[in-house]
Amino acid sequence: MVQLVVKENVDWTPKMIVFDKDGTLGDCTASMHNWCERMTKCIIQDFTNLTEKSNDDLMKESIHNFRNAIGWDTLNNCLLPSAPLSAGTWEEILDLSSNALIRSGVKNAKICFMSIFKKQGIRVAICTSDDRAATNHCIRNWGLEQIIDFSICGDEVLESKLSAQPLLSLCKQAQVKPEDCIVVGDTSADTGMGCNANAGLVVGVLTGSGTTEQLLQTGADIVLPDISYLHQLIGIELMDTHATISVVDGAKIESRPDCTRVI
């Protein structure tokens, strides 16, 4: 488990987590090899909680349907040529994955993932540069109407990311302080906004256009492979140590010198 510390001798639980949309909740990259492995592990680990009935055959069927939907060759443990996982957008991949799991009796995967934060009493928000119409369409398409508590869009703010103004406006809506928020994004604009607004924690993810170096240099406290690692940042101990690079399930996680992750 990753332990994250951002403030010295202070126990901190965020009141809200703010996601960028495109490239964060929606993946813009082609390579999702590690994501498939992690999703398979999540299906196995959480299968009992996510299905009406639980048995090995149904679990195996769910994994088989999921891997087939995204073009994963289970026999050779690799992607098939031109597989949806390598060629599709994040939205398309999630739709295929969710539909495959639903056919097996599993609830919408994105809803289940986002519900983790709701169960912790953490509000869930979106801060995007996209316009309101497109954002509402995505929220409806992903089935997140009951999950997203607040959202703010590019056509609703006077200043765009990396200005602090979008996050400050969102926090005003939610009646929370920026220092009580986790900001999650894939670009330097996202991490810059979080840094400029003095967010409690700024998380970069590598599912969009930003590189590890860019995200760290523009304010990210930690860079994760994707948002599936976020649940490990909830309810963890905080302290002040030296910089490190940790490995979780084979994935490299990098942090700034004042923000160390410990396995």
Side-chain angles (χ1 to χ4, degrees):
M1 180 176 180
V2 176
Q3 290 184 324
L4 171 71
V5 187
V6 291
K7 299 176 183 177
E8 185 175 2
N9 299 323
V10 176
D11 291 330
W12 180 71
T13 299
K15 294 182 180 178
M16 184 167 73
I17 181 164
V18 180
F19 291 94
D20 169 54
K21 183 171 67 69
D22 297 326
T24 302
L25 288 181
D27 193 349
C28 298
T29 60
S31 178
M32 298 293 290
H33 186 281
N34 185 58
W35 179 81
C36 179
E37 292 287 355
R38 289 189 56 79
M39 279 296 295
T40 300
K41 291 178 183 178
C42 287
I43 293 172
I44 295 171
Q45 180 179 352
D46 298 331
F47 188 78
T48 300
N49 296 330
L50 301 182
T51 57
E52 296 178 358
K53 59 179 181 177
S54 178
N55 57 59
D56 288 342
D57 289 339
L58 189 55
M59 180 182 70
K60 291 177 181 177
E61 178 187 354
S62 299
I63 294 173
H64 175 76
N65 288 342
F66 162 69
R67 290 184 168 182
N68 276 352
I70 61 175
W72 182 270
D73 184 346
T74 300
L75 182 62
N76 296 304
N77 197 33
C78 65
L79 287 175
L80 294 170
S82 301
L85 186 59
S86 62
T89 65
W90 178 242
E91 291 86 352
E92 293 167 344
I93 293 165
L94 281 178
D95 284 341
L96 289 169
S97 303
S98 298
N99 290 336
L101 293 175
I102 290 170
R103 286 196 300 272
S104 302
V106 181
K107 298 176 184 178
N108 185 284
K110 186 185 282 289
I111 295 175
C112 292
F113 172 75
M114 302 293 281
S115 294
I116 294 173
F117 305 110
K118 301 282 283 189
K119 291 177 182 178
Q120 295 287 333
I122 299 172
R123 290 169 240 184
V124 179
I126 288 178
C127 181
T128 177
S129 297
D130 209 348
D131 62 43
R132 171 55 62 187
T135 299
N136 285 347
H137 175 77
C138 284
I139 291 174
R140 287 193 301 269
N141 189 48
W142 292 338
L144 296 178
E145 299 99 320
Q146 304 304 314
I147 301 295
I148 302 299
D149 298 300
F150 303 95
S151 62
I152 196 164
C153 304
D155 56 355
E156 299 170 338
V157 294
L158 298 177
E159 299 177 21
S160 59
K161 303 175 185 179
L162 44 80
S163 166
Q165 199 253 331
L167 181 59
L168 295 178
S169 297
L170 184 62
C171 288
K172 186 176 180 180
Q173 280 186 33
Q175 297 184 334
V176 300
K177 298 177 181 178
E179 53 264 37
D180 290 328
C181 295
I182 297 176
V183 172
V184 187
D186 69 295
T187 70
S188 57
D190 300 316
T191 52
M193 177 190 70
C195 181
N196 290 332
N198 295 316
L201 181 66
V202 181
V203 180
V205 289
L206 297 175
T207 49
S209 61
T211 66
T212 297
E213 292 74 17
Q214 289 172 339
L215 297 172
L216 290 174
Q217 289 173 2
T218 53
D221 297 303
I222 184 171
V223 176
L224 304 177
D226 56 67
I227 63 173
S228 69
Y229 289 79
L230 281 170
H231 71 281
Q232 299 179 64
L233 303 183
I234 304 300
I236 55 182
E237 185 179 349
L238 306 178
M239 63 183 175
D240 186 21
T241 54
H242 296 290
T244 188
I245 296 178
S246 303
V247 175
V248 179
D249 293 339
K252 187 166 73 171
I253 295 176
E254 300 198 29
S255 62
R256 297 193 310 179
D258 58 346
C259 196
T260 298
R261 284 81 202 159
V262 183
I263 299 300

